[in-house]
Amino acid sequence: MELAIGIILGCCALGAGMAMIAGIGPGIGEGNAVASACEAIGRQPESQGNVTTTMLMGCAIAETTGLYALVIAILLIFLAPGRFVNILVETMNNIK
Amino acid sequence: MQSTEVISVNLWQMLISLLNLLILFLILKKFMYKPVKKTLAERQKLIDERFENAQKAQSDADSAKSEYESKLANADSEAADIIKAARAKAERKSEKIVSSAKSKADDILRQAQTDAELEKKKAEADIKNEITEVSSLLTEKLLGREINAADHRDFINSFIEKIGEEND
Amino acid sequence: MKSETKSRSKAFKAVDFLLLACAVIPYIFGIALYVLIKPPSSGIEITGAKILFTIDMPLQSLPITESQVNSWIVIVTIFFLCLYLTHGISAAQPTARQHLAEWIVEKTENLVKNNMGEFFDGFAPFVAAIMGLSAFSSLLTLVGLFPPTSDLNVVGGWAVLVFILITHYKMKCGLLHYIKSFGDPVPLLAPLNVISEIATPVSMAFRHYGNVLSGSVISVLVAVGLQGLSKIVLGKLPGFIGEFPLLQIGLPAVLSVYFDIFSGCLQAFIFAMLTMLYISTGFPSEDYRAKLMKKEKN
């Protein structure tokens, strides 16, 4: 029983950590976006305001996937262990 | 004190927050946008009015200016007319003076000429008389006898005339 | 200008002061409530909003939590700020606060005009409401209160409202037109279109919620980590210095500037921008214009 609970907790933590691998994607994407924005501002300094606003918008949208991963990770850390342990206890009681 | 889960879905809470947003929307519309827009419209009206007034004043000033300018131009032309008239008058006068002076001078000249001619004629007649007298005296003396002056006068006169013709 | 402010009556100033006080008092109330309900134990604790009391409702019981109370605090504050900004408004002699109010109004109207085009004239107050509510809610962390935007239900409710608006404007050309728009390129893609339609409010809600929550989570983790670090490094020193978490000074403040102020305001702006873009791009403006023309002909 304790072993099972330990496995559940460990796997939840592991899953959360693996979910956050998705943070790589937005990192690369936003880096690209900022690089392009810097280039654009260097080419046309007078359009700095527009470029900055658009870049922030794009960054925020590109961040969405990373935030999905974050939400999954938070679920796995704060919500999932309790649920899974409850399910485990219930099934054990049923078997008994 | 209990607390909700980090992620929890509750329909009523969602409804409450939806209504919150709607209420804030209405608050902003009623207490922020309505008065501010009203003031902006009022200010626009005020500016329009002032602009209109300014334009009116401008047009008034323009018309007054054009009036003065036309008056000024009229005055110029009047002055020019007056000067022209005065000049013409003066010219006429001077012409008159000059012509009268000329005519007077002509008169004087003519008078002088006639006088001179008369003098000349008189002098000629005098000289003639003297010449006849002298010649008659001379002939009297030369011939020793009295010549009838009356007889010889015609002869001498013809002689003198002949000399005058030859001289001429 | 100065003589104008000097010549104002005392009653005017008193009303001013009262309005400002009414805008500040809710914060004091919120902080007092927070201190009262704060559990004695503190430490690493990442939870949702604290439940004040629960009302039984059909379908699902409604817990009134900190996030609801804090939203109401924000709404009351914004309401009194509006009253303060437009108090003594006049066309002839604008004051500094009136300039601020006009600036806000003109900026939001220009933003709406540039991003949404015609047919959406009345959207400026809505966009301003989203921005104000979201930004003020996120900035509540500065006074130590629970930010309502890190509660999924709050931003979820806003997203649902945005979804209702999107659908409403898509249905302007009739229900049939709306249903037809799902099979737009090929009728085979209709299920995907439905999913993308539903994904819009979900992604909006999760984006805002995730950003604010990740900020607070990271802030808590950094604070706790620094506390532990200072206990390890400085714990052997005698007396007061050993107990005092010296390393906690500095870094959390910098993180707070980024996560609370910058990220909060940016997320408010992005939520408003996405609202405008989704509504205006979903709206079939050309078909609607054709419909209006037809109506005028008839």
Side-chain angles (χ1 to χ4, degrees):
Chain A
M1 186 74 182
E2 280 80 16
L3 184 67
I5 291 174
I7 288 172
I8 286 174
L9 290 180
C11 286
C12 281
L14 211 62
M18 278 162 74
M20 285 318 290
I21 292 174
I24 295 172
I28 294 171
E30 283 180 29
N32 274 339
V34 176
S36 301
C38 285
E39 243 171 57
I41 291 172
R43 207 169 291 153
Q44 275 179 303
E46 67 274 6
S47 68
Q48 189 184 10
N50 281 331
V51 169
T52 309
T53 318
T54 317
M55 183 198 77
L56 286 177
M57 279 283 300
C59 280
I61 290 167
E63 225 174 32
T64 314
T65 49
L67 287 170
Y68 289 158
L70 177 83
V71 169
I72 299 292
I74 286 170
L75 275 174
L76 278 173
I77 287 178
F78 293 105
L79 224 62
R83 291 274 164 87
F84 291 156
V85 169
N86 278 347
I87 292 167
L88 181 73
V89 169
E90 267 174 30
T91 45
M92 292 297 260
N93 285 341
N94 285 346
I95 290 168
K96 270 177 191 172
Chain B
M1 182 57 63
Q2 270 189 323
S3 58
T4 56
E5 300 284 348
V6 175
I7 290 185
S8 61
V9 178
N10 190 309
L11 291 179
W12 297 112
Q13 284 190 342
M14 276 194 182
L15 190 69
I16 286 179
S17 77
L18 194 155
L19 291 178
N20 280 345
L21 188 55
L22 268 185
I23 289 167
L24 189 66
F25 162 64
L26 292 178
I27 286 174
L28 277 179
K29 194 177 179 184
K30 184 130 202 303
F31 292 101
M32 182 99 167
Y33 279 71
K34 216 168 125 196
V36 168
K37 274 187 156 180
K38 208 175 126 198
T39 343
L40 283 180
E42 266 174 31
R43 184 175 303 153
Q44 192 60 47
K45 217 169 114 193
L46 210 73
I47 288 168
D48 282 351
E49 240 167 53
R50 273 187 198 163
F51 190 71
E52 220 167 79
N53 283 347
Q55 250 182 352
K56 215 174 165 189
Q58 178 80 38
S59 64
D60 280 359
D62 277 351
S63 67
K65 196 183 164 195
S66 64
E67 204 176 300
Y68 286 135
E69 265 174 7
S70 68
K71 262 188 192 169
L72 218 70
N74 277 349
D76 272 357
S77 67
E78 249 168 53
D81 279 353
I82 288 170
I83 287 171
K84 211 192 259 172
R87 192 171 283 160
K89 213 173 171 184
E91 257 169 32
R92 243 179 287 135
K93 216 173 204 174
S94 68
E95 261 170 34
K96 218 190 221 167
I97 288 168
V98 167
S99 64
S100 71
K102 224 179 221 169
S103 67
K104 234 178 220 172
D106 280 354
D107 280 356
I108 289 168
L109 213 65
R110 218 175 294 136
Q111 190 83 35
Q113 262 174 353
T114 47
D115 280 3
E117 255 167 46
L118 278 178
E119 287 286 309
K120 202 179 165 187
K121 272 184 185 164
K122 221 180 184 178
E124 268 178 12
D126 280 357
I127 288 170
K128 237 184 224 169
N129 282 338
E130 249 169 63
I131 285 174
T132 42
E133 262 171 38
V134 168
S135 54
S136 67
L137 274 179
L138 271 177
T139 41
E140 246 180 32
K141 284 245 166 98
L142 279 176
L143 298 176
R145 60 174 178 135
E146 200 174 313
I147 297 170
N148 197 351
D151 286 350
H152 288 104
R153 186 163 302 237
D154 295 333
F155 172 70
I156 291 168
N157 270 353
S158 64
F159 179 71
I160 287 168
E161 264 168 26
K162 231 183 232 171
I163 292 169
E165 272 170 16
E166 274 171 13
N167 278 357
D168 276 344
Chain C
M1 198 86 145
K2 260 189 178 168
S3 64
E4 163 74 10
T5 46
K6 262 183 195 170
S7 69
R8 279 192 171 147
S9 64
K10 272 187 180 169
F12 188 90
K13 275 182 185 168
V15 172
D16 260 11
F17 182 74
L18 204 70
L19 287 175
L20 273 185
C22 283
V24 175
I25 281 170
Y27 284 105
I28 297 165
F29 171 75
I31 292 168
L33 195 72
Y34 176 74
V35 171
L36 278 179
I37 65 171
K38 195 189 173 198
S41 72
S42 66
I44 179 156
E45 203 176 3
I46 301 167
T47 57
K50 291 178 183 62
I51 299 169
L52 296 175
F53 54 88
T54 312
I55 304 169
D56 277 331
M57 296 283 259
L59 211 69
Q60 209 172 11
S61 63
L62 164 63
I64 298 295
T65 63
E66 268 184 315
S67 50
Q68 268 74 46
V69 175
N70 288 351
S71 307
W72 292 329
I73 288 172
V74 167
I75 288 174
V76 169
T77 303
I78 293 179
F79 171 59
F80 281 110
L81 272 183
C82 282
L83 286 185
Y84 174 74
L85 284 180
T86 57
H87 186 220
I89 197 164
S90 74
Q93 288 171 311
T95 52
R97 68 176 95 148
Q98 189 184 332
H99 280 307
L100 182 60
E102 281 167 13
W103 183 78
I104 291 170
V105 170
E106 279 176 0
K107 278 278 162 185
T108 49
E109 290 206 321
N110 278 340
L111 197 66
V112 168
K113 207 182 280 169
N114 289 337
N115 286 310
M116 298 180 84
E118 48 180 348
F119 301 123
F120 296 103
D121 291 334
F123 259 81
F126 184 70
V127 170
I130 288 177
M131 276 194 197
L133 197 52
S134 172
F136 272 72
S137 299
S138 298
L139 292 177
L140 273 183
T141 47
L142 288 182
V143 291
L145 293 176
F146 178 80
T149 39
S150 74
D151 189 334
L152 183 58
N153 295 316
V154 174
V155 279
W158 303 347
V160 167
L161 182 56
V162 171
F163 178 69
I164 291 170
L165 279 171
I166 292 171
T167 313
H168 171 74
Y169 275 96
K170 277 193 173 177
M171 281 189 186
K172 277 258 168 167
C173 286
L175 192 64
L176 200 69
H177 189 280
Y178 175 65
I179 293 167
K180 258 189 204 163
S181 74
F182 280 113
D184 194 13
V186 201
L188 204 72
L189 290 176
L192 285 179
N193 279 334
V194 172
I195 289 172
S196 78
E197 195 73 15
I198 294 168
T200 303
V202 172
S203 79
M204 277 175 89
F206 272 114
R207 180 179 298 125
H208 200 320
Y209 156 81
N211 263 299
V212 179
L213 184 74
S214 68
S216 62
V217 166
I218 290 170
S219 294
V220 168
L221 286 180
V222 166
V224 171
L226 286 176
Q227 202 177 6
L229 194 68
S230 69
K231 218 173 244 172
I232 291 168
V233 175
L234 303 168
K236 281 163 193 161
L237 294 174
F240 174 70
I241 304 172
E243 312 239 321
F244 190 71
L246 203 65
L247 292 178
Q248 260 188 346
I249 302 169
L251 189 55
V254 177
L255 283 180
S256 164
V257 167
Y258 177 74
F259 283 119
D260 296 341
I261 299 175
F262 177 71
S263 184
C265 294
L266 187 65
Q267 287 308 313
F269 178 69
I270 283 165
F271 199 92
M273 283 294 283
L274 285 180
T275 305
M276 289 190 285
L277 289 181
Y278 279 136
I279 292 175
S280 63
T281 52
F283 181 60
S285 57
E286 298 204 346
D287 294 335
Y288 187 65
R289 202 173 288 136
K291 195 185 164 194
L292 278 184
M293 295 274 273
K294 217 183 238 176
K295 230 181 215 174
E296 267 178 24
K297 269 182 190 172
N298 290 343

